[in-house]
Coordinates of all heavy atoms in Angstrom, one line a residue:
M1 N 32.9 4.7 4.5 CA 31.7 4.5 3.6 C 31.4 5.9 3.0 O 31.4 6.9 3.7 CB 30.5 4.0 4.4 CG 29.5 3.5 3.5 SD 28.0 2.8 4.3 CE 28.6 1.8 5.6
S2 N 31.2 6.0 1.7 CA 30.9 7.2 1.1 C 29.5 7.8 1.5 O 28.6 7.0 1.9 CB 31.0 7.1 -0.4 OG 29.9 6.4 -0.9
T3 N 29.3 9.1 1.3 CA 28.1 9.7 1.7 C 26.9 9.2 0.9 O 25.8 9.0 1.4 CB 28.2 11.2 1.6 OG1 29.4 11.7 2.3 CG2 27.0 11.9 2.1
V4 N 27.2 9.0 -0.4 CA 26.1 8.5 -1.3 C 25.5 7.2 -0.8 O 24.3 7.0 -0.8 CB 26.6 8.4 -2.7 CG1 25.5 7.8 -3.6 CG2 27.0 9.8 -3.2
V5 N 26.5 6.3 -0.5 CA 26.0 4.9 0.0 C 25.3 5.1 1.3 O 24.2 4.4 1.5 CB 27.2 4.0 0.1 CG1 26.8 2.7 0.8 CG2 27.9 3.8 -1.2
R6 N 25.7 5.9 2.2 CA 25.1 6.1 3.5 C 23.7 6.7 3.3 O 22.7 6.2 3.9 CB 25.9 7.1 4.3 CG 25.6 7.0 5.8 CD 26.5 7.9 6.5 NE 27.8 7.3 6.7 CZ 28.8 7.8 7.3 NH1 28.7 9.0 7.8 NH2 30.0 7.2 7.4
V7 N 23.5 7.6 2.4 CA 22.2 8.2 2.1 C 21.3 7.2 1.5 O 20.1 7.1 1.9 CB 22.3 9.4 1.1 CG1 21.0 9.8 0.6 CG2 23.0 10.6 1.8
L8 N 21.8 6.3 0.6 CA 20.9 5.3 0.0 C 20.5 4.3 1.1 O 19.4 3.8 1.0 CB 21.7 4.6 -1.1 CG 21.9 5.4 -2.4 CD1 22.8 4.7 -3.4 CD2 20.6 5.8 -3.0
I9 N 21.4 3.9 2.0 CA 21.0 3.0 3.1 C 19.9 3.6 4.0 O 18.9 2.9 4.3 CB 22.3 2.6 3.9 CG1 23.2 1.7 3.1 CG2 21.9 1.9 5.2 CD1 24.5 1.4 3.7
Y10 N 20.1 4.9 4.3 CA 19.1 5.5 5.2 C 17.7 5.6 4.5 O 16.7 5.4 5.1 CB 19.5 6.9 5.6 CG 20.6 6.9 6.6 CD1 21.6 7.9 6.6 CD2 20.7 5.9 7.6 CE1 22.6 7.9 7.5 CE2 21.7 5.9 8.5 CZ 22.7 6.9 8.5 OH 23.7 6.9 9.4
I11 N 17.8 5.9 3.2 CA 16.5 6.0 2.4 C 15.9 4.6 2.3 O 14.7 4.5 2.5 CB 16.8 6.6 1.0 CG1 17.1 8.1 1.1 CG2 15.6 6.4 0.1 CD1 17.6 8.7 -0.2
A12 N 16.7 3.6 2.1 CA 16.1 2.2 2.0 C 15.5 1.8 3.3 O 14.4 1.2 3.4 CB 17.2 1.3 1.6
V13 N 16.1 2.1 4.5 CA 15.6 1.8 5.8 C 14.3 2.5 6.0 O 13.3 1.9 6.5 CB 16.6 2.0 6.9 CG1 16.0 1.9 8.3 CG2 17.8 1.1 6.8
A14 N 14.3 3.8 5.7 CA 13.0 4.6 5.9 C 11.9 4.1 5.1 O 10.8 3.9 5.5 CB 13.3 6.1 5.6
V15 N 12.2 3.7 3.8 CA 11.1 3.2 2.9 C 10.7 1.8 3.4 O 9.5 1.5 3.4 CB 11.6 3.1 1.5 CG1 10.7 2.3 0.6 CG2 11.8 4.5 0.9
A16 N 11.6 1.0 3.9 CA 11.2 -0.3 4.4 C 10.3 -0.2 5.7 O 9.3 -1.0 5.8 CB 12.5 -1.1 4.7
V17 N 10.6 0.7 6.5 CA 9.8 0.9 7.8 C 8.4 1.3 7.4 O 7.4 0.9 7.9 CB 10.5 1.9 8.7 CG1 9.6 2.3 9.8 CG2 11.7 1.2 9.3
F18 N 8.4 2.3 6.4 CA 7.1 2.8 6.0 C 6.3 1.7 5.3 O 5.1 1.6 5.6 CB 7.3 4.0 5.0 CG 6.0 4.6 4.6 CD1 5.2 5.4 5.4 CD2 5.5 4.3 3.3 CE1 4.0 5.9 5.0 CE2 4.3 4.9 2.9 CZ 3.6 5.7 3.8
V19 N 6.9 0.9 4.5 CA 6.1 -0.1 3.8 C 5.7 -1.2 4.8 O 4.5 -1.7 4.7 CB 7.0 -0.8 2.7 CG1 6.4 -2.1 2.1 CG2 7.2 0.2 1.5
L20 N 6.5 -1.5 5.7 CA 6.1 -2.5 6.8 C 4.9 -2.0 7.6 O 3.9 -2.7 7.8 CB 7.3 -2.8 7.7 CG 7.0 -3.8 8.8 CD1 6.7 -5.2 8.2 CD2 8.1 -3.8 9.8
C21 N 4.9 -0.7 8.0 CA 3.8 -0.2 8.7 C 2.6 -0.1 7.9 O 1.5 -0.4 8.3 CB 4.2 1.2 9.2 SG 5.4 1.2 10.5
R22 N 2.7 0.2 6.6 CA 1.6 0.3 5.7 C 1.0 -1.1 5.5 O -0.2 -1.3 5.5 CB 2.1 0.8 4.4 CG 1.0 1.1 3.4 CD 0.3 2.4 3.7 NE -0.7 2.7 2.7 CZ -1.9 3.2 2.9 NH1 -2.1 3.6 4.1 NH2 -2.7 3.4 1.9
L23 N 1.8 -2.2 5.4 CA 1.3 -3.5 5.2 C 0.6 -4.0 6.5 O -0.5 -4.7 6.4 CB 2.4 -4.5 4.9 CG 3.0 -4.4 3.5 CD1 4.2 -5.3 3.4 CD2 2.0 -4.7 2.5
I24 N 1.1 -3.6 7.6 CA 0.4 -4.0 8.9 C -1.0 -3.3 8.9 O -2.0 -3.9 9.4 CB 1.3 -3.7 10.1 CG1 2.5 -4.6 10.1 CG2 0.5 -3.8 11.4 CD1 3.5 -4.2 11.2
Y25 N -1.0 -2.0 8.5 CA -2.2 -1.3 8.5 C -3.2 -1.9 7.6 O -4.4 -2.1 7.9 CB -2.0 0.2 8.1 CG -3.2 1.0 8.0 CD1 -3.9 1.4 9.1 CD2 -3.6 1.4 6.7 CE1 -5.1 2.1 9.0 CE2 -4.8 2.2 6.6 CZ -5.5 2.6 7.7 OH -6.6 3.3 7.6
K26 N -2.8 -2.3 6.4 CA -3.7 -3.0 5.4 C -4.2 -4.3 6.0 O -5.3 -4.7 5.8 CB -3.0 -3.2 4.1 CG -2.6 -2.0 3.4 CD -3.7 -1.7 2.3 CE -3.2 -0.5 1.5 NZ -4.2 -0.1 0.6
F27 N -3.3 -5.1 6.7 CA -3.7 -6.3 7.3 C -4.8 -6.1 8.4 O -5.7 -6.9 8.5 CB -2.4 -7.0 7.9 CG -2.7 -8.3 8.6 CD1 -3.1 -9.4 7.9 CD2 -2.7 -8.4 10.0 CE1 -3.4 -10.6 8.5 CE2 -3.0 -9.6 10.7 CZ -3.3 -10.7 9.9
V28 N -4.6 -5.1 9.2 CA -5.6 -4.8 10.2 C -7.0 -4.4 9.5 O -8.0 -4.9 10.0 CB -5.2 -3.6 11.1 CG1 -6.3 -3.1 11.9 CG2 -4.0 -4.0 12.0
L29 N -6.9 -3.7 8.4 CA -8.2 -3.4 7.7 C -8.8 -4.7 7.1 O -10.0 -4.9 7.1 CB -7.9 -2.4 6.6 CG -7.6 -1.0 7.1 CD1 -7.4 0.0 5.9 CD2 -8.7 -0.4 8.0
W30 N -7.9 -5.6 6.6 CA -8.4 -6.8 6.0 C -9.0 -7.7 7.1 O -10.0 -8.3 6.8 CB -7.2 -7.6 5.4 CG -7.6 -8.9 4.8 CD1 -8.2 -9.1 3.6 CD2 -7.3 -10.2 5.4 NE1 -8.4 -10.4 3.4 CE2 -7.9 -11.1 4.5 CE3 -6.8 -10.6 6.5 CZ2 -7.8 -12.5 4.8 CZ3 -6.7 -11.9 6.8 CH2 -7.2 -12.9 5.9
L31 N -8.5 -7.7 8.3 CA -9.1 -8.5 9.4 C -10.5 -7.9 9.6 O -11.4 -8.7 10.0 CB -8.2 -8.4 10.6 CG -7.0 -9.2 10.6 CD1 -6.2 -9.0 11.9 CD2 -7.3 -10.7 10.5
G32 N -10.7 -6.6 9.5 CA -12.0 -6.0 9.7 C -13.0 -6.5 8.7 O -14.2 -6.6 9.0
T33 N -12.6 -6.9 7.5 CA -13.5 -7.4 6.5 C -13.9 -8.8 6.7 O -14.8 -9.3 6.1 CB -12.9 -7.2 5.1 OG1 -11.8 -8.0 5.0 CG2 -12.6 -5.8 4.7
K34 N -13.1 -9.5 7.5 CA -13.4 -11.0 7.8 C -14.2 -11.2 9.1 O -14.1 -12.2 9.7 CB -12.0 -11.7 7.9 CG -11.2 -11.6 6.6 CD -11.9 -12.3 5.5 CE -11.1 -12.2 4.2 NZ -11.9 -12.6 3.0
N35 N -14.9 -10.2 9.5 CA -15.8 -10.2 10.7 C -15.0 -10.4 11.9 O -15.4 -11.0 12.9 CB -16.8 -11.3 10.6 CG -17.9 -11.0 9.5 OD1 -18.1 -9.8 9.2 ND2 -18.4 -12.0 8.9
I36 N -13.7 -10.0 11.9 CA -12.9 -10.0 13.1 C -12.9 -8.5 13.6 O -12.4 -7.6 12.9 CB -11.5 -10.4 12.9 CG1 -11.5 -11.9 12.4 CG2 -10.6 -10.3 14.1 CD1 -10.2 -12.4 12.0
R37 N -13.5 -8.3 14.7 CA -13.8 -6.9 15.1 C -12.4 -6.3 15.6 O -11.8 -6.8 16.5 CB -14.8 -6.8 16.2 CG -15.2 -5.4 16.5 CD -16.3 -5.3 17.5 NE -16.6 -4.0 17.9 CZ -15.9 -3.2 18.7 NH1 -14.8 -3.7 19.3 NH2 -16.2 -2.0 19.0
I38 N -12.0 -5.2 14.9 CA -10.8 -4.4 15.3 C -11.3 -3.1 15.9 O -12.0 -2.3 15.1 CB -9.9 -4.2 14.1 CG1 -9.5 -5.5 13.5 CG2 -8.7 -3.4 14.6 CD1 -8.7 -6.4 14.3
P39 N -11.1 -2.8 17.1 CA -11.5 -1.5 17.7 C -10.9 -0.3 16.9 O -9.8 -0.4 16.4 CB -11.0 -1.5 19.1 CG -10.7 -2.9 19.4 CD -10.4 -3.6 18.1
K40 N -11.8 0.7 16.7 CA -11.3 1.9 16.0 C -10.1 2.6 16.7 O -9.3 3.2 16.0 CB -12.4 2.8 15.7 CG -13.5 2.3 14.7 CD -14.4 3.4 14.4 CE -15.5 2.8 13.5 NZ -15.2 3.1 12.1
T41 N -10.1 2.4 18.0 CA -8.9 3.0 18.7 C -7.6 2.4 18.3 O -6.6 3.1 18.2 CB -9.1 2.9 20.2 OG1 -9.3 1.5 20.5 CG2 -10.3 3.7 20.7
V42 N -7.6 1.1 18.0 CA -6.4 0.4 17.5 C -5.9 1.0 16.2 O -4.8 1.3 16.0 CB -6.6 -1.1 17.4 CG1 -5.4 -1.8 16.8 CG2 -6.9 -1.7 18.8
V43 N -6.9 1.2 15.3 CA -6.5 1.8 14.0 C -6.0 3.3 14.2 O -5.1 3.7 13.5 CB -7.8 1.8 13.0 CG1 -7.5 2.5 11.7 CG2 -8.2 0.3 12.8
R44 N -6.7 4.0 15.1 CA -6.3 5.4 15.3 C -4.9 5.4 15.9 O -4.0 6.3 15.6 CB -7.2 6.1 16.2 CG -8.5 6.4 15.5 CD -9.5 7.2 16.5 NE -10.8 7.3 15.8 CZ -11.9 7.5 16.5 NH1 -11.9 7.5 17.8 NH2 -13.0 7.7 15.9
I45 N -4.6 4.5 16.8 CA -3.3 4.5 17.5 C -2.2 4.1 16.4 O -1.1 4.7 16.4 CB -3.3 3.5 18.6 CG1 -4.1 4.1 19.8 CG2 -1.8 3.2 19.1 CD1 -4.3 3.1 20.9
F46 N -2.5 3.2 15.5 CA -1.6 2.8 14.5 C -1.3 4.0 13.6 O -0.2 4.2 13.2 CB -2.1 1.6 13.8 CG -1.0 1.0 12.9 CD1 0.0 0.3 13.5 CD2 -1.0 1.1 11.6 CE1 1.0 -0.3 12.7 CE2 0.0 0.6 10.8 CZ 1.0 -0.1 11.4
K47 N -2.3 4.7 13.2 CA -2.1 5.9 12.3 C -1.3 6.9 13.0 O -0.4 7.6 12.4 CB -3.5 6.5 11.9 CG -4.2 5.7 10.9 CD -5.5 6.5 10.6 CE -6.3 5.7 9.5 NZ -7.6 6.4 9.2
L48 N -1.5 7.1 14.3 CA -0.7 8.1 15.1 C 0.8 7.6 15.1 O 1.7 8.5 15.0 CB -1.2 8.2 16.5 CG -0.5 9.1 17.5 CD1 -0.6 10.5 17.0 CD2 -1.1 9.0 18.9
I49 N 1.0 6.3 15.3 CA 2.4 5.8 15.3 C 3.1 6.1 13.9 O 4.2 6.5 13.8 CB 2.4 4.3 15.6 CG1 2.1 4.2 17.1 CG2 3.8 3.7 15.3 CD1 1.9 2.7 17.5
L50 N 2.3 5.9 12.8 CA 2.8 6.2 11.5 C 3.2 7.7 11.3 O 4.2 8.0 10.8 CB 1.8 5.8 10.4 CG 1.8 4.3 10.0 CD1 0.6 4.1 9.0 CD2 3.1 3.9 9.4
L51 N 2.3 8.5 11.8 CA 2.5 10.0 11.8 C 3.8 10.3 12.6 O 4.6 11.1 12.1 CB 1.3 10.7 12.3 CG 1.4 12.2 12.3 CD1 1.6 12.8 10.9 CD2 0.3 12.8 13.1
L52 N 3.9 9.8 13.8 CA 5.1 10.1 14.6 C 6.4 9.6 13.9 O 7.4 10.3 14.0 CB 4.9 9.4 16.0 CG 3.9 10.0 16.9 CD1 3.8 9.2 18.2 CD2 4.2 11.5 17.2
I53 N 6.4 8.5 13.2 CA 7.6 8.0 12.5 C 8.0 9.0 11.4 O 9.1 9.4 11.3 CB 7.4 6.6 12.0 CG1 7.3 5.6 13.1 CG2 8.4 6.3 11.0 CD1 6.9 4.2 12.6
V54 N 7.0 9.4 10.7 CA 7.3 10.4 9.6 C 7.8 11.7 10.2 O 8.7 12.3 9.7 CB 6.0 10.6 8.7 CG1 6.2 11.8 7.8 CG2 5.7 9.3 8.0
L55 N 7.1 12.2 11.2 CA 7.5 13.5 11.9 C 8.9 13.4 12.5 O 9.7 14.3 12.4 CB 6.5 13.9 12.9 CG 5.2 14.4 12.4 CD1 4.3 14.7 13.6 CD2 5.4 15.6 11.5
A56 N 9.3 12.2 13.0 CA 10.6 12.0 13.6 C 11.7 12.1 12.5 O 12.7 12.7 12.7 CB 10.7 10.7 14.3
L57 N 11.4 11.4 11.3 CA 12.3 11.5 10.2 C 12.5 12.9 9.7 O 13.6 13.4 9.5 CB 11.9 10.6 9.1 CG 12.0 9.1 9.4 CD1 11.4 8.3 8.2 CD2 13.5 8.7 9.5
V58 N 11.4 13.6 9.5 CA 11.5 15.0 9.1 C 12.2 15.9 10.1 O 13.0 16.7 9.7 CB 10.0 15.5 8.7 CG1 10.0 17.0 8.5 CG2 9.5 14.8 7.6
G59 N 11.8 15.7 11.3 CA 12.5 16.5 12.4 C 14.0 16.2 12.5 O 14.7 17.2 12.7
Y60 N 14.4 15.0 12.3 CA 15.8 14.7 12.3 C 16.6 15.5 11.2 O 17.6 16.1 11.5 CB 16.0 13.2 12.1 CG 17.5 12.8 11.9 CD1 18.4 12.8 13.0 CD2 18.0 12.5 10.7 CE1 19.7 12.5 12.8 CE2 19.3 12.2 10.5 CZ 20.2 12.2 11.6 OH 21.5 11.9 11.4
F61 N 16.0 15.4 10.0 CA 16.7 16.1 8.9 C 16.7 17.6 9.1 O 17.6 18.3 8.7 CB 16.1 15.7 7.6 CG 16.5 14.4 7.1 CD1 15.6 13.3 7.0 CD2 17.8 14.1 6.8 CE1 16.0 12.1 6.6 CE2 18.2 12.9 6.4 CZ 17.3 11.8 6.3
I62 N 15.6 18.2 9.6 CA 15.6 19.6 9.9 C 16.5 20.0 11.0 O 17.3 21.0 10.9 CB 14.1 20.1 10.3 CG1 13.2 20.0 9.0 CG2 14.1 21.5 10.8 CD1 11.8 20.2 9.3
Y63 N 16.6 19.2 12.1 CA 17.5 19.4 13.2 C 19.0 19.4 12.8 O 19.8 20.2 13.2 CB 17.3 18.4 14.3 CG 18.2 18.6 15.5 CD1 18.0 19.6 16.4 CD2 19.2 17.6 15.7 CE1 18.9 19.7 17.5 CE2 20.1 17.8 16.8 CZ 19.9 18.8 17.6 OH 20.8 19.0 18.7
T64 N 19.3 18.5 11.9 CA 20.7 18.3 11.5 C 21.0 19.2 10.3 O 22.2 19.2 9.8 CB 21.0 16.9 11.1 OG1 20.2 16.5 10.0 CG2 20.9 16.0 12.3
G65 N 20.1 20.0 9.8 CA 20.4 20.9 8.7 C 20.4 20.1 7.4 O 21.2 20.4 6.5
F66 N 19.6 19.1 7.3 CA 19.5 18.2 6.1 C 20.9 17.5 5.8 O 21.3 17.3 4.7 CB 19.1 19.0 4.9 CG 17.7 19.6 5.0 CD1 17.5 20.9 5.4 CD2 16.6 18.7 4.8 CE1 16.2 21.4 5.6 CE2 15.3 19.2 5.0 CZ 15.1 20.6 5.4
Q67 N 21.6 17.1 6.9 CA 22.8 16.4 6.8 C 22.6 15.0 7.3 O 21.7 14.7 8.1 CB 23.9 17.0 7.6 CG 24.3 18.4 7.1 CD 25.4 19.0 8.0 OE1 25.8 18.4 8.9 NE2 25.8 20.2 7.6
I68 N 23.4 14.1 6.8 CA 23.3 12.7 7.2 C 24.3 12.4 8.3 O 25.4 12.9 8.2 CB 23.5 11.7 6.0 CG1 22.5 11.9 5.0 CG2 23.5 10.3 6.5 CD1 21.1 11.6 5.4

């Protein structure tokens, strides 16, 4: 498989994971507007998980010297 295709696949997976996490986050906020009580700790933990995913991706690219 060529490097370009591999890079595009990795980018697509990263974007899909981010969009999925973002949709779940929006869903949790939407539940809060429907009088379903969501503890703030759940929202904070979810934000922390999103941050860890982003940091893991950035850390991987820095560790490998921006290579795939």
Side-chain angles (χ1 to χ4, degrees):
M1 196 181 313
S2 73
T3 305
V4 174
V5 173
R6 200 177 283 179
V7 168
L8 291 176
I9 290 172
Y10 289 146
I11 290 172
V13 169
V15 168
V17 168
F18 181 75
V19 168
L20 179 66
C21 290
R22 188 79 176 143
L23 287 175
I24 293 172
Y25 177 69
K26 294 263 186 189
F27 179 69
V28 168
L29 291 180
W30 179 78
L31 286 177
T33 63
K34 300 296 179 191
N35 293 331
I36 299 173
R37 189 176 176 281
I38 305 295
K40 289 191 183 262
T41 55
V42 172
V43 175
R44 287 182 187 155
I45 289 171
F46 193 73
K47 284 182 180 179
L48 180 64
I49 290 171
L50 279 174
L51 177 66
L52 289 175
I53 289 171
V54 170
L55 289 177
L57 289 173
V58 170
Y60 170 76
F61 284 112
I62 290 173
Y63 177 74
T64 59
F66 298 97
Q67 294 178 1
I68 300 296

